[in-house]
Structure formats: structure tokens, C-alpha cells
């Protein structure tokens, strides 16, 4: 057994060396193969009567009418046009080229491409050992702190527009959250808890609601069932608030349930216009459960305080949570920028600033905007209404388009209320991209912008929404190639139809020039090799 184990590293090393040698020699093998093909064509030129075949083929091509060439080039243009349309659709939907993706995933292994070796080298340390890759924690999907109510808000949108505002991926994440939150603090699941566990997993909303009523029949004090009814069956915020209050009265000492219900009750009060009551409930909740900062209740508080225009209180909350050691969010960064912009925006003029320069307060505001835009570059287009807003998803990706949609949906009104703030944002936000190093190998104030946001945002946001991508992707090579091929063949078809004789002369001149090197090579081989050698070789 020990001998076998000891020989494995040697056999693995030999296999790796063999693979690397094959990959290295592949290019030279192709050149050798191409040269052998040319030699075989020359050797078999007389036995296979290739000269007579080419002559008859040229005679046949000369007898073809211009209509044939028009049909040929037109068909080529049509096929390349269809490929172009498919490639463009695939790129807009998935952000990559279909041909390129197939080539990389299927052809690269056949050509000896090894992904692991190339990527490991990027993070090699000085002593040659591979270092771990950088953390991708910024690509983690978070629960949206201000997510809407399904029955009272999301479903109403579906009834009016016929569109589904939530993706299956987003709702599946919510189901997992609810299963985690509402399992109860008892060591063994009660029958009604088992029913609710199944209810959260149901894809059909009506099946979830029926399961909630079944759990209530088993136990009238099943708080999780009332939470589900408040979220999904209640068609108004008032009705949802009544069901949440019922759930709160029977929640017992389950901390997860208490925090969730109290937070949603505070959001109900905010939506019903009782903003001071909502602020008090949020402050009490943060004071009662100070260790639950991961739930980002302070973002709910910031939005409610902005609605009250209590800017001093907003600044106090920011002073606590806008700390270098705490994770950032679009709400933190853009609210800080809003407060600084509000102090100077009412008197800000681009023309005056260009003449006299920026004051200290204006410079602080511009730097805060640049900081916010570097954290999430998608937000300004929604605040400036350059892109249309949709309902925010239930989960967001920090620094992604989903977070930008969620922030702008709730905070656009606060930016509009501050006179001149949007004008200052409009004049300064694009200057951020002159500060950030390009390519995005490192950031300016934050970590480099993650490359995983587009894929996650496409899963979180509905298909009818055009996902914002940063940095803007260049068109793949194959889209440009098929566009050029389609245009070129269409032009050839049109010219052949209009000027058949001239295009015939051009085609003959083109092919004679194309095959001239082959004829030159054959003549040189005739002069270099003795005729008896070729005669004996052809006999063989």
C-alpha cells in the first residue's frame, strides 16, 4: 500500500508533463501537418489527375450565370445575418458570445488548454507557493432591508401590468431565509412548524397560503403562519399590519420572530404615514437587539429620518455606521453625499465654480459624490432618471444594479426634495471614472469593483429590466466578425447583380492572385527535385 501511494505523485507528475508537452507541441504539429498536406497534394497531382479536375471545375464555374453568384452571396449574407441576430440576442441576455462560450468550454480542453495552471500563477507568492485568491465576499447576496410586501405591493403590480416583478431565484432565497428565521427555538419541530417549513418551500402562492391556514388549524398560536398571511395574502398595508400585530401577540420569546415582526410593523407604520411612530419603533428595536447589525435596520431608520427631514439625526446615525471598519452600502454612501450636497447645492453653479474654483464645502460634497459613485456606479442614472425604475427585488447585491434599483426606489424623493442636489450630482458624478484606475485592477477608496455583479443581478432582476453593467463591456469578436461578414456578402450580392461582367473579371483576378503562391511553390519544387525522384515516388 505504501509503495502504491508513493508512486502516485510520480505518475501524476509524468501525466502533467505529458499534457504540458502536448499543449506546447500542438502549434508545431499543426504546421507540420499543413506542410505534409501540401506535399501530398503535389505528389498526387498526376496520379489523381488533379490538373484535369481543376480545369473541368474552372470550365464549369465559367458556364455559371451571374444569377448563381448573386444567389450564393445573398444566401451567405442571410445566414451570417441570422447568426449575427442570434449572437446579439445572446450577448444582451447573458453578457457573452455564444460562439466564444462554446469554443472555450468545449474546444479548449481538446486543444490542451489548462485553466487551473494559468489562474494559479496569478496569485503565486515569492517563494513559488500558490497564495489563496482574493475574497469574493462583496459578491454575497443580501436581504433587501426595505423589501416590499408581496400581497399588498408586488402582487398589485402584477395585477396591473401582468408582469412578474420577482424572479424565481429571488423568491427561492426568501424561502430559505424564512425557513432559517422561523424554525422555532424548540429542539424538536412541532407539527405546525413542519407544515410551515413545507409552506415556505411551495412555489405556488395559493399553496403557501393554504398551508398557513392548515398550521393555524393545528395551533391557533402559530405566529409564523400569521407572518406568511401578512406577507402574501393581505392586499393592503392596513390588513398586513393587523396580521403582524396578531403574530406579535403570540410570538413568545422567539428572537428571530420578534425582530422580523417588529421591523415589518415599523415599515407598515412608515408606509401608512405614521413616520415618527416608525422611527421610535426602529430605535427601540436597535436598542433592544444591538447585536443584530447584519439585518441593516439602520437603513430603514435613515430612510424614515430623511422623510422627516431630520438631517441632524441622519448625520448622527451616519456617524455611527459610516465607519471604516463596518461594511458599506449604497444607502450609507449616497446619504452621506446627499447631506454634504444639500449644504451647497442650492447656490451651486457650474459656471461660477469654473471661474472661481470650488469652495471647501463644495469640494467636500464633490468628493462625497465621487466616493458614493465609486462604491455603486449604477445609482446616478436612476437618480437622474436616465433609466426607468422598477420595483426593487427582495435581495440585493452590494455595488450591483439590484442595490442601485432598491436605493433609488426609496431615496429618489429625498434627493428631489434637496434643492439643487440632483444638479450637483449631474455635474460631478462622471468625474469619478477619471479617478478610478483603469483597467479596474485596484480601486481608489474601495476594493476593486467585483466582476461577479452582472451574473447575480441578472438572476435577481426580472427579464424585462435592462441590467446596468459596469464597466461597459465591449462587443465580442464574433459579433463584429459576423456583422462584417454579413455586410461584405450583402455588398458582393448587390454588386454582382448590378455589374455582373465587372465582378466576373474581379473574381478571376482575385483567385489567380490567391493561388499564385501555390503555383510558385510547385515550380520551385519541380526545379529543386530531380524528375526521376518524383517519377519513382508517384509509382509508389
Amino acid at each position: 500500500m505504501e509503495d502504491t501511494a508513493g508512486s502516485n505523485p510520480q505518475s501524476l507528475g509524468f501525466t502533467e508533463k505529458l499534457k504540458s508537452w502536448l499543449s506546447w507541441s500542438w502549434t508545431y504539429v499543426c504546421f507540420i501537418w499543413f506542410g505534409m498536406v501540401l506535399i501530398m497534394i503535389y505528389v498526387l497531382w498526376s496520379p489523381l489527375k488533379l490538373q484535369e479536375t481543376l480545369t473541368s471545375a474552372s470550365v464549369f464555374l465559367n458556364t455559371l450565370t451571374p444569377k448563381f453568384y448573386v444567389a450564393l452571396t445573398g444566401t451567405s449574407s442571410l445566414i451570417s445575418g441570422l447568426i449575427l441576430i442570434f449572437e446579439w440576442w445572446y450577448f444582451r441576455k447573458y453578457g457573452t458570445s455564444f460562439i466564444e462560450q462554446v469554443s472555450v468550454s468545449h474546444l479548449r480542453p481538446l486543444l490542451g488548454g489548462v485553466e487551473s495552471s494559468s489562474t494559479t500563477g496569478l496569485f503565486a507568492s515569492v517563494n513559488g507557493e500558490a497564495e489563496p485568491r482574493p475574497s469574493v465576499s462583496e459578491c454575497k447576496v443580501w436581504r433587501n432591508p426595505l423589501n416590499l410586501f408581496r400581497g399588498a405591493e408586488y402582487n398589485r403590480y402584477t395585477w396591473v401590468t401582468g408582469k412578474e416583478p420577482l424572479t424565481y431565484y429571488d423568491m427561492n432565497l426568501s424561502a430559505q431565509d424564512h425557513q432559517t428565521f422561523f424554525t422555532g427555538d424548540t429542539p424538536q419541530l412541532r407539527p405546525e412548524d413542519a407544515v410551515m417549513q413545507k409552506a415556505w418551500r411551495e412555489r405556488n402562492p395559493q399553496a403557501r397560503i393554504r398551508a398557513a391556514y392548515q398550521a393555524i388549524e393545528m395551533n391557533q398560536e402559530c405566529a409564523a403562519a400569521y407572518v406568511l398571511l401578512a406577507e402574501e395574502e393581505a392586499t393592503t398595508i392596513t390588513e398586513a399590519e393587523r396580521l403582524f400585530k396578531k403574530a406579535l401577540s403570540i410570538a413568545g420569546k422567539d428572537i428571530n420572530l420578534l425582530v422580523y415582526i417588529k421591523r415589518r410593523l415599523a415599515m407598515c407604520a412608515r408606509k401608512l404615514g405614521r413616520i415618527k411612530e416608525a422611527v421610535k419603533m426602529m430605535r427601540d428595536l436597535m436598542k433592544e437587539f444591538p447585536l443584530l447589525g447584519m439585518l441593516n435596520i439602520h437603513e430603514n431608520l435613515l430612510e424614515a429620518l430623511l422623510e422627516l427631514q431630520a438631517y441632524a439625526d441622519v448625520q448622527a446615525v451616519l456617524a455611527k455606521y459610516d465607519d471604516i471598519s463596518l461594511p458599506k452600502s449604497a444607502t450609507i454612501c449616497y446619504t452621506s453625499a446627499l447631506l454634504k450636497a444639500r449644504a451647497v447645492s442650492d447656490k451651486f453653479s457650474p459656471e461660477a465654480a469654473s471661474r472661481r474654483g470650488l469652495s471647501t464645502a463644495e469640494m467636500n460634497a464633490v468628493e462625497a459624490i465621487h466616493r458614493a459613485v465609486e462604491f455603486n456606479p449604477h445609482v446616478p442614472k436612476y437618480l437622474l432618471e436616465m433609466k426607468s425604475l422598477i420595483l426593487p427585488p427582495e435581495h440585493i447585491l452590494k455595488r450591483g444594479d439590484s442595490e442601485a434599483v432598491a436605493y433609488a426606489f426609496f431615496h429618489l424623493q429625498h434627493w428631489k426634495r434637496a434643492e439643487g442636489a440632483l444638479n450637483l450630482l449631474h455635474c460631478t458624478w462622471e468625474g469619478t471614472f477619471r479617478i478610478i484606475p483603469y483597467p479596474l485592477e485596484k480601486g481608489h477608496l474601495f476594493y476593486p469593483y467585483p466582476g461577479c455583479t452582472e451574473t447575480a443581478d441578472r438572476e435577481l432582476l426580472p427579464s424585462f429590466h435592462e441590467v446596468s453593467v459596469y464597466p461597459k463591456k465591449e462587443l465580442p469578436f464574433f459579433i463584429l466578425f459576423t456583422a462584417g461578414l454579413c455586410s461584405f456578402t450583402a455588398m458582393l450580392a448587390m454588386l454582382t447583380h448590378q455589374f455582373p461582367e465587372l465582378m466576373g473579371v474581379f473574381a478571376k483576378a482575385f483567385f489567380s492572385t490567391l493561388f499564385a503562391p501555390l503555383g510558385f511553390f510547385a515550380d520551385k519544387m519541380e526545379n529543386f527535385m530531380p524528375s526521376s525522384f518524383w517519377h519513382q515516388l508517384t509509382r509508389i
Side-chain angles (χ1 to χ4, degrees):
M1 291 295 291
E2 292 179 0
D3 295 339
T4 306
S7 64
N8 282 340
Q10 296 179 358
S11 61
L12 288 175
F14 174 75
T15 305
E16 293 297 328
K17 289 181 180 179
L18 182 61
K19 286 183 178 180
S20 63
W21 183 83
L22 290 175
S23 177
W24 172 80
S25 62
W26 184 261
T27 305
Y28 301 97
V29 170
C30 290
F31 278 112
I32 295 172
W33 177 82
F34 183 69
M36 292 178 63
V37 168
L38 291 179
I39 294 174
M40 288 298 296
I41 291 175
Y42 183 81
V43 169
L44 299 175
W45 189 267
S46 297
L48 296 181
K49 299 180 180 180
L50 296 179
Q51 182 66 40
E52 291 81 355
T53 304
L54 288 176
T55 304
S56 59
S58 61
V59 172
F60 172 75
L61 293 176
N62 288 331
T63 59
L64 294 174
T65 62
K67 291 182 179 180
F68 170 79
Y69 295 103
V70 173
L72 179 64
T73 52
T75 305
S76 302
S77 177
L78 175 63
I79 294 174
S80 56
L82 293 175
I83 296 174
L84 173 63
I85 293 172
F86 174 77
E87 277 282 298
W88 177 255
W89 169 82
Y90 195 88
F91 174 72
R92 293 297 300 270
K93 185 173 180 64
Y94 299 105
T96 185
S97 165
F98 175 77
I99 300 176
E100 182 179 345
Q101 186 179 25
V102 171
S103 301
V104 171
S105 58
H106 296 286
L107 297 183
R108 185 174 180 178
L110 298 178
L111 298 178
V114 182
E115 296 183 3
S116 58
S117 60
S118 61
T119 53
T120 304
L122 294 175
F123 305 101
S125 60
V126 177
N127 58 8
E129 297 179 359
E131 293 182 351
R133 290 191 173 194
S135 172
V136 291
S137 59
E138 291 191 3
C139 295
K140 177 184 176 182
V141 175
W142 298 76
R143 181 85 175 175
N144 183 3
L146 287 87
N147 65 304
L148 304 178
F149 295 87
R150 286 192 187 177
E153 292 173 303
Y154 287 120
N155 286 349
R156 290 172 63 185
Y157 177 85
T158 304
W159 297 335
V160 173
T161 65
K163 298 178 180 179
E164 289 290 342
L166 297 175
T167 63
Y168 172 70
Y169 175 71
D170 191 15
M171 291 189 290
N172 187 49
L173 290 176
S174 297
Q176 295 175 16
D177 292 341
H178 293 148
Q179 284 180 270
T180 304
F181 290 158
F182 307 139
T183 51
D185 54 1
T186 55
Q188 188 175 3
L189 282 180
R190 297 169 297 184
E192 61 271 19
D193 292 332
V195 172
M196 289 306 302
Q197 285 276 18
K198 183 180 178 183
W200 296 120
R201 292 194 299 266
E202 290 284 353
R203 293 188 62 176
N204 189 348
Q206 296 303 319
R208 290 195 293 270
I209 293 173
R210 286 196 297 269
Y213 279 115
Q214 181 183 352
I216 292 174
E217 290 178 1
M218 293 181 177
N219 183 0
Q220 292 291 327
E221 296 187 353
C222 181
Y226 287 101
V227 168
L228 189 148
L229 295 178
E231 291 284 355
E232 304 210 21
E233 190 186 37
T235 56
T236 63
I237 301 298
T238 304
E239 186 179 355
E241 184 181 39
R242 179 183 62 79
L243 290 169
F244 275 123
K245 287 181 177 178
K246 172 66 175 177
L248 181 63
S249 64
I250 57 177
K253 297 181 179 180
D254 190 329
I255 295 178
N256 290 338
L257 265 175
L258 288 174
V259 172
Y260 186 91
I261 294 171
K262 289 183 178 181
R263 180 182 195 166
R264 294 304 260 177
L265 281 172
M267 294 176 69
C268 288
R270 163 67 183 91
K271 292 175 184 293
L272 293 173
R274 306 194 308 270
I275 305 172
K276 291 184 179 180
E277 178 185 344
V279 168
K280 183 180 183 305
M281 294 173 69
M282 293 172 191
R283 288 188 186 278
D284 293 342
L285 189 58
M286 294 168 64
K287 190 179 298 183
E288 186 178 359
F289 304 101
L291 299 179
L292 296 179
M294 67 182 69
L295 299 178
N296 298 321
I297 303 174
H298 59 275
E299 295 193 12
N300 300 80
L301 179 60
L302 283 173
E303 196 279 326
L305 291 173
L306 285 172
E307 181 65 21
L308 287 176
Q309 302 184 42
Y311 297 110
D313 292 336
V314 172
Q315 186 60 58
V317 175
L318 287 177
K320 182 178 179 181
Y321 289 96
D322 193 5
D323 186 84
I324 191 171
S325 61
L326 297 177
K328 299 294 182 290
S329 66
T331 301
I332 293 291
C333 295
Y334 278 90
T335 302
S336 177
L338 173 60
L339 292 189
K340 293 180 180 179
R342 175 181 166 273
V344 297
S345 59
D346 56 338
K347 299 177 181 178
F348 177 78
S349 170
E351 295 79 11
S354 61
R355 287 195 306 268
R356 59 174 171 77
L358 295 174
S359 65
T360 303
E362 289 173 339
M363 183 62 71
N364 291 336
V366 172
E367 289 177 354
I369 289 175
H370 286 174
R371 171 178 179 261
V373 174
E374 181 183 352
F375 182 83
N376 193 317
H378 310 284
V379 172
K381 288 188 177 181
Y382 294 106
L383 293 180
L384 298 172
E385 299 182 90
M386 300 166 64
K387 285 195 68 176
S388 58
L389 271 173
I390 60 171
L391 294 186
E394 292 184 337
H395 289 80
I396 59 173
L397 183 69
K398 288 191 175 182
R399 307 187 74 177
D401 191 33
S402 51
E403 184 191 35
V405 168
Y407 172 80
F409 184 86
F410 294 100
H411 289 263
L412 176 58
Q413 56 180 333
H414 307 314
W415 280 82
K416 287 184 175 181
R417 189 179 295 123
E419 183 182 354
L422 288 176
N423 178 47
L424 180 60
L425 177 68
H426 175 73
C427 296
T428 58
W429 75 278
E430 291 183 331
T432 309
F433 306 116
R434 292 191 292 270
I435 302 174
I436 303 174
Y438 188 85
L440 305 177
E441 297 170 349
K442 61 179 181 178
H444 179 60
L445 298 174
F446 299 99
Y447 289 108
Y449 191 81
C452 59
T453 57
E454 181 186 359
T455 303
D457 281 332
R458 291 185 187 278
E459 295 286 342
L460 291 171
L461 296 170
S463 58
F464 58 83
H465 173 72
E466 183 180 355
V467 175
S468 177
V469 179
Y470 175 80
K472 201 67 177 178
K473 285 190 174 181
E474 297 181 357
L475 288 177
F477 164 76
F478 287 104
I479 290 184
L480 300 176
F481 175 76
T482 51
L485 181 63
C486 178
S487 304
F488 178 70
T489 51
M491 181 184 67
L492 283 181
M494 183 183 66
L495 291 176
T496 307
H497 178 71
Q498 294 293 330
F499 311 104
E501 296 180 359
L502 182 62
M503 290 300 294
V505 174
F506 173 77
K508 291 178 182 179
F510 173 76
F511 284 111
S512 62
T513 306
L514 182 64
F515 290 108
L518 185 60
F520 176 79
F521 174 76
D523 292 338
K524 289 296 182 181
M525 291 292 290
E526 285 278 0
N527 298 332
F528 180 73
M529 294 292 183
S531 57
S532 60
F533 173 78
W534 292 116
H535 179 69
Q536 295 296 330
L537 192 60
T538 53
R539 288 185 62 183
I540 294 174

